[in-house]
Amino acid sequence: MKKRIISIVLHLFIAGSMIAQISMQNVGNIKVDNLSDAQIEAFVKKYTDAGYSFADVETQAKAQGMSSGELEKLRVRVQQVASASTPAPSTTVAEARVAQEKINVVEQQESRAAREEIREATQVFGAGLFRNSNMTFEPNLNIPTPKNYQLGPGDELIIDIFGFSESTYRLRVAPEGFIRVPNVGQIPVNGQTIENAEKIIRRQMAAIYSTINTGQSHITVTLGNIRSIRVYLIGEVTRPGTYTLSSLATVFNALYACGGPSQNGSLRNIKVLRNGKTIATIDVYSFLLQGELKNNLTLHDEDVIHILPYESHVTVEGSVKRGGIYEMKPDETLADLITFCGGFNDDAYKGRVTVTRNTDNEKSVADVPQNLYYMFYPRSGDKFSFGTILDKYTNRVQITGNVFRPGTYALDEGMTLKDLVDKADGLREDAFMERAVITRLQDDLTPELIAFNVQELIDGKFNIKLKKEDIISIGTKTEFEESRRVHIYGEVMNGGSFPYYENMRLKDLIFMAKGFREFAETDRIEIIRRIIDPVTLKEDAEKVEIIMLSVNKDFSDGGDGDFLLQPRDQVSVKMIEGLEAVTTMSVSGEVRLPGNYPITKKTERISDVFIRAGGLTKYAYPKGAFLLRNSTRSYAERMRDAKLISMLSTLTDDDQRNEIMQGILARTDLVGISLEEILKNPGSQHDLFVENGDIVFVPKQLQTVTVAGSVQVPGMIVYDGGSFKKYINQAGGFTKDADARHSYVAYANGSIGATKRFLFFRSYPEVTPGAHLFIPEKEKKESNTKENISFFMSILSGIVSMASVAVTAIAISNR
């Protein structure tokens, strides 16, 4: 256990030390891949607490020698940590600074990307070649040794002897230019190609290995590890200096290592000097445009690469494939520049190019025609703008509308309107023949309309010669007619609005509406037709005409099914006279057969339904029975309210109970009924006619009353007979703010009993089982709003109490 504890403490100490080691003083020495997110987080917090920004870290890291690749890794890691977390509202100031620094890093990254886009748009064509991370120009070390490769000090030669004698030697060329072979001695190879070196070595070793001359043994010489060389890059270089490269490195390898030419450096005049003499000139455009690596020599030790300043930069913009800044040589023409740009775009205007040129004092503009492209020599600073062709046509005419092939057509010499219609394969059958138009541009480009009669054009009585950009529009008959529809509603399967057709008959419309419903009255179909005769409309007050018709249900002949309809006719199909939808009501609670009962006739009363329900049980309390009525509710809504009433007994929160009961009351009417009187005197004024959706509830015998409002101890009291004052006294009596004059009792059946007053005498209402006694507060002068609310809530509370006792019976009724 001790060892495990010591190990854990040691690991924590090492991790803490690693975090502590990352600072502004040694940031250039860290390896980002070895750091965890926690260490990055701690480092950011550390330098932000010290008042540094990431830009300061970047500067310090570069000064300490951190590579650009490692710095980019650090930037990405900080950005990832920044995107993974945001400061919470309760963060400390230091944490907020860390978070803000993360946001700053993200913004710097986005800004750097934007600057990179701008730089690419403004840099000289080809300048990014040696800054492209996807193209390193690293020498390939897995290829056979080039034939012209010259050995030098530092190269490793592998001498392999096989056959009758077998031996392998790995020998390095000494600074003096020779290799030392055991038992053979020194063999000079400096400056030799690998092929010549093999011949020299074979000749020297044949003296020791006699079987080499007889062919019994063989010898091969290959190049092992190659030497390094030192080259100098001077002039207009992005990072000038001395570079140590592989001895297989070429000029392009060196240019990539130094970042290529600087902003003022030439891409087309790069000198390679050896022993003080120019041995090659590099033109990068040969590689970029033709893919040729001309003069890309293998470098030697002490070679010098000199990048001269550019001589001429010109700018190209407009309709060419690759605009930008290009370096030009003195003997190159505008035609060469267009080639550098990749040629013209498809919509380019090739007849002329505009060039803006700098003079000694100001700028000048010149137009270069196409025939001089091969003779015009650009100057440094020139700006060439290539335009596009005009967005207009030399011979276009268009025809739209009701022809078989509308569209754009070529304007032939002497082409007429009739010729164009024929080209479009003629008119459609529903073309509007009375009028069509030609839209034409006049010489001053103002539009002009030329109307013509289409029928006269077809008959040969009219024709006109077309001009370019003419647009001919031919309409359809329906475009010039008001929408014509007929309507059918009532007892049909799919009523609605339908298009009107010529010679449309009544049975056609009924067919389109999918026929009659089962109880449709087909002998009394009404057609409602608007009167459109002007004389009748002025002299008669009637504006519509009612036409009564009879149609066979199976669409057979006979009747008025062939009656011709007119546009805007409305057809009404009624239901069979006297037929009504089946309606129901429900009885629940203490009845022998609770459930839903269809209403058999319009004169059916509550007493009739109770006879069908088998009467009351012996536990029924008829004085508490009540009726819920809302004839507009659906069956699903009534079932929902019954379930809500069932929930009331399980709720202990008065506010929640009141909210549910308030929702039920908003959808229904609570009607207080006298069930005892109804059952005793059927057909009396108390015996109401039942309606669709009625719910009659009969509670079981109630044994309590409720006292609420301005009493000392509101609550529920056991009912044992007695007066109103008795139960008030059992609740501790009135409070000093009680308004006894306005006390009332809400009975279990929903009726209300108010306190009456005669002179100085007060008569309180009778108390029955399940009653709710409420004593309001005295009215305050400043406002009676609270009194109104209190009054409403008292009624609601009473109803809730009554509804609660109905739970069990309602649940049975739902089943």
Side-chain angles (χ1 to χ4, degrees):
M1 179 62 70
K2 284 184 178 181
K3 290 182 178 179
R4 292 185 63 186
I5 294 174
I6 293 173
S7 176
I8 292 172
V9 172
L10 183 60
H11 278 83
L12 291 175
F13 174 76
I14 293 173
S17 300
M18 290 178 67
I19 295 175
Q21 288 173 359
I22 307 174
S23 65
M24 292 293 287
Q25 285 70 36
N26 63 358
V27 65
N29 300 325
I30 64 174
K31 296 296 182 184
V32 178
D33 292 337
N34 297 333
L35 301 179
S36 65
D37 288 345
Q39 290 173 303
I40 296 291
E41 185 89 25
F43 174 55
V44 173
K45 184 176 184 302
K46 188 171 184 179
Y47 73 71
T48 51
D49 289 345
Y52 292 109
S53 67
F54 188 79
D56 300 324
V57 175
E58 194 172 9
T59 303
Q60 186 73 8
K62 288 180 179 179
Q64 295 178 9
M66 177 179 277
S67 65
S68 58
E70 199 72 20
L71 185 59
E72 184 64 27
K73 289 181 182 179
L74 180 61
R75 183 183 298 107
V76 171
R77 289 291 300 280
V78 173
Q79 181 181 355
Q80 290 173 347
V81 173
S83 61
S85 63
T86 54
S90 60
T91 53
T92 64
V93 174
E95 291 171 340
R97 288 183 62 186
V98 172
Q100 184 59 46
E101 177 58 27
K102 296 173 183 177
I103 295 173
N104 293 340
V105 171
V106 174
E107 291 176 349
Q108 289 177 12
Q109 189 76 7
E110 294 175 350
S111 177
R112 183 177 290 103
R115 291 197 304 267
E116 184 66 20
E117 291 181 2
I118 296 173
R119 185 182 65 81
E120 290 179 357
T122 57
Q123 71 180 1
V124 179
F125 173 70
L129 176 65
F130 301 109
R131 306 184 187 100
N132 186 352
S133 59
N134 297 322
M135 185 177 291
T136 63
F137 293 102
E138 287 293 332
N140 188 353
L141 303 180
N142 295 320
I143 60 174
T145 305
K147 292 183 177 181
N148 60 349
Y149 180 79
Q150 295 182 350
L151 298 174
D155 284 336
E156 182 185 48
L157 293 179
I158 302 174
I159 303 173
D160 190 12
I161 303 172
F162 57 94
F164 186 82
S165 300
E166 291 191 1
S167 184
T168 301
Y169 302 97
R170 301 182 68 93
L171 307 172
R172 187 173 298 277
V173 180
E176 294 79 9
F178 59 83
I179 58 174
R180 186 181 300 275
V181 181
N183 302 321
V184 177
Q186 295 180 353
I187 301 176
V189 294
N190 187 38
Q192 302 293 332
T193 65
I194 196 72
E195 185 178 357
N196 292 337
E198 182 176 346
K199 293 178 180 179
I200 295 173
I201 294 171
R202 179 183 291 108
R203 187 171 55 252
Q204 295 283 347
M205 298 190 72
I208 303 299
Y209 298 95
S210 58
T211 54
I212 292 178
N213 289 331
T214 63
Q216 294 175 298
S217 297
H218 303 277
I219 183 171
T220 61
V221 178
T222 57
L223 186 65
N225 294 326
I226 59 176
R227 70 185 185 278
S228 297
I229 61 173
R230 185 171 60 176
V231 296
Y232 303 92
L233 287 105
I234 61 174
E236 298 296 332
V237 184
T238 300
R239 293 187 297 273
T242 304
Y243 287 82
T244 301
L245 305 173
S246 162
S247 58
L248 293 176
T250 64
V251 177
F252 273 69
N253 301 143
L255 291 174
Y256 181 82
C258 72
S262 66
Q263 184 176 0
N264 295 323
S266 172
L267 287 163
R268 311 195 61 190
N269 191 15
I270 302 173
K271 306 291 186 182
V272 181
L273 292 84
R274 183 173 297 164
N275 299 324
K277 296 181 180 180
T278 300
I279 62 171
T281 301
I282 304 296
D283 184 351
V284 178
Y285 278 21
S286 297
F287 172 69
L288 292 174
L289 299 175
Q290 287 90 36
E292 299 177 357
L293 287 171
K294 291 182 179 180
N295 295 331
N296 186 28
L297 306 178
T298 300
L299 295 173
H300 289 188
D301 194 32
E302 301 298 321
D303 278 353
V304 177
I305 299 176
H306 184 199
I307 301 179
L308 300 174
Y310 73 87
E311 293 186 21
S312 176
H313 277 176
V314 298
T315 303
V316 179
E317 63 181 13
S319 194
V320 290
K321 290 186 173 65
R322 187 174 52 241
I325 302 173
Y326 290 85
E327 182 179 348
M328 302 291 292
K329 292 183 176 179
D331 58 344
E332 291 175 336
T333 65
L334 176 57
D336 297 321
L337 178 60
I338 295 172
T339 302
F340 296 163
C341 297
F344 294 103
N345 287 339
D346 295 337
D347 62 347
Y349 175 62
K350 304 175 184 177
R352 176 179 53 83
V353 61
T354 302
V355 56
T356 302
R357 175 165 290 180
N358 299 325
T359 64
D360 293 339
N361 297 319
E362 55 189 3
K363 296 179 182 291
S364 66
V365 177
D367 293 329
V368 183
Q370 186 175 13
N371 60 343
L372 297 181
Y373 287 176
Y374 287 92
M375 293 181 285
F376 187 85
Y377 293 92
R379 294 181 185 174
S380 186
D382 283 355
K383 183 177 182 180
F384 294 88
S385 299
F386 293 86
T388 58
I389 59 176
L390 300 178
D391 188 18
K392 57 187 299 187
Y393 296 82
T394 58
N395 64 336
R396 179 181 68 169
V397 290
Q398 301 176 68
I399 184 168
T400 63
N402 227 19
V403 293
F404 282 103
R405 296 187 184 279
T408 301
Y409 290 87
L411 177 62
D412 300 328
E413 184 68 27
M415 187 176 186
T416 64
L417 176 59
K418 182 64 168 58
D419 297 333
L420 179 58
V421 172
D422 292 340
K423 267 193 173 184
D425 286 349
L427 302 172
R428 290 182 178 272
E429 293 80 0
D430 59 343
F432 186 69
M433 306 298 290
E434 281 71 24
R435 189 179 181 85
V437 295
I438 301 173
T439 304
R440 174 171 291 178
L441 292 179
Q442 300 185 85
D443 294 339
D444 60 354
L445 299 183
T446 57
E448 174 189 14
L449 279 183
I450 302 174
F452 63 94
N453 185 290
V454 181
Q455 188 62 53
E456 292 181 358
L457 176 67
I458 300 302
D459 295 340
K461 298 178 180 179
F462 171 82
N463 205 350
I464 187 174
K465 189 176 180 180
L466 297 178
K467 294 184 178 181
K468 71 173 184 178
E469 298 299 342
D470 278 355
I471 301 176
I472 293 85
S473 301
I474 299 177
T476 62
K477 291 179 180 179
T478 56
E479 292 175 346
F480 297 92
E481 295 178 355
E482 185 180 355
S483 176
R484 302 197 301 174
R485 304 185 72 82
V486 288
H487 312 272
I488 185 170
Y489 50 86
E491 293 300 306
V492 291
M493 300 299 292
N494 185 26
S497 177
F498 296 88
Y500 172 78
Y501 301 97
E502 293 294 336
N503 297 317
M504 188 175 187
R505 302 179 186 275
L506 175 58
K507 62 183 180 182
D508 297 328
L509 178 59
I510 297 172
F511 177 79
M512 294 170 71
K514 309 302 181 185
F516 295 107
R517 290 181 179 170
E518 180 180 2
F519 301 111
E521 176 59 84
T522 61
D523 293 333
R524 293 179 57 84
I525 297 177
E526 288 185 351
I527 307 286
I528 299 94
R529 177 172 291 175
R530 289 197 301 178
I531 297 173
I532 59 175
D533 178 53
V535 177
T536 305
L537 291 174
K538 288 180 181 179
E539 297 178 355
D540 199 334
E542 293 185 0
K543 305 300 180 184
V544 296
E545 178 184 4
I546 305 297
I547 305 170
M548 302 296 297
L549 301 174
S550 174
V551 178
N552 294 332
K553 210 166 191 178
D554 58 358
F555 298 99
S556 60
D557 294 337
D560 301 313
D562 290 327
F563 179 81
L564 283 173
L565 297 177
Q566 293 182 5
R568 294 174 292 278
D569 277 353
Q570 297 186 33
V571 180
S572 174
V573 182
K574 303 294 191 295
M575 186 182 289
I576 296 175
E577 185 176 359
L579 183 66
E580 295 183 1
V582 177
T583 57
T584 62
M585 59 90 63
S586 65
V587 180
S588 59
E590 295 299 323
V591 293
R592 296 186 182 278
L593 299 172
N596 294 326
Y597 288 86
I599 300 174
T600 60
K601 54 186 177 181
K602 292 186 177 181
T603 59
E604 190 160 16
R605 298 176 181 270
I606 294 176
S607 59
D608 299 326
V609 177
F610 268 78
I611 292 173
R612 296 163 61 188
L616 304 175
T617 68
K618 63 180 180 179
Y619 304 107
Y621 179 56
K623 287 186 178 181
F626 59 86
L627 167 66
L628 288 174
R629 169 166 290 177
N630 187 345
S631 58
T632 62
R633 292 185 308 152
S634 66
Y635 177 78
E637 290 174 325
R638 287 188 280 118
M639 291 300 98
R640 177 196 59 197
D641 290 345
K643 290 180 180 179
L644 289 174
I645 293 174
S646 301
M647 290 173 53
L648 294 176
S649 64
T650 63
L651 299 176
T652 58
D653 187 343
D654 290 339
D655 291 338
Q656 192 174 3
R657 286 159 56 89
N658 291 344
E659 182 179 356
I660 292 176
M661 207 56 210
Q662 186 176 0
I664 296 174
L665 291 176
R667 297 185 292 271
T668 61
D669 295 321
L670 181 65
V671 182
I673 59 175
S674 179
L675 186 58
E676 287 182 319
E677 186 65 27
I678 291 172
L679 299 179
K680 187 183 300 183
N681 298 307
S684 65
Q685 63 178 1
H686 300 286
D687 193 5
L688 302 178
F689 295 114
V690 293
E691 295 182 3
N692 184 40
D694 282 355
I695 300 176
V696 177
F697 174 73
V698 182
K700 66 181 179 181
Q701 182 63 45
L702 304 177
Q703 298 176 314
T704 60
V705 295
T706 303
V707 182
S710 295
V711 293
Q712 300 295 338
V713 186
M716 192 174 290
I717 301 172
V718 176
Y719 177 81
D720 58 355
S723 65
F724 183 92
K725 291 292 295 288
K726 172 185 175 180
Y727 294 101
I728 297 298
N729 291 334
Q730 290 187 24
F734 296 114
T735 65
K736 63 178 182 178
D737 296 326
D739 186 2
R741 295 177 303 169
H742 295 99
S743 301
Y744 62 88
V745 175
Y747 295 103
N749 68 345
S751 59
I752 304 294
T755 300
K756 298 179 181 178
R757 186 178 178 186
F758 179 73
L759 297 179
F760 300 103
F761 301 99
R762 194 175 294 150
S763 175
Y764 293 104
E766 179 188 2
V767 179
T768 59
H772 182 87
L773 287 65
F774 185 78
I775 296 84
E777 291 185 0
K778 291 180 180 179
E779 182 179 357
K780 295 183 180 181
K781 295 182 180 180
E782 61 272 15
S783 173
N784 61 358
T785 303
K786 291 184 178 179
E787 179 68 22
N788 295 337
I789 297 174
S790 178
F791 178 76
F792 169 76
M793 292 304 298
S794 66
I795 296 177
L796 182 63
S797 178
I799 293 171
V800 169
S801 299
M802 291 184 288
S804 299
V805 302
V807 171
T808 304
I810 290 291
I812 296 173
S813 174
N814 290 341
R815 293 195 291 269

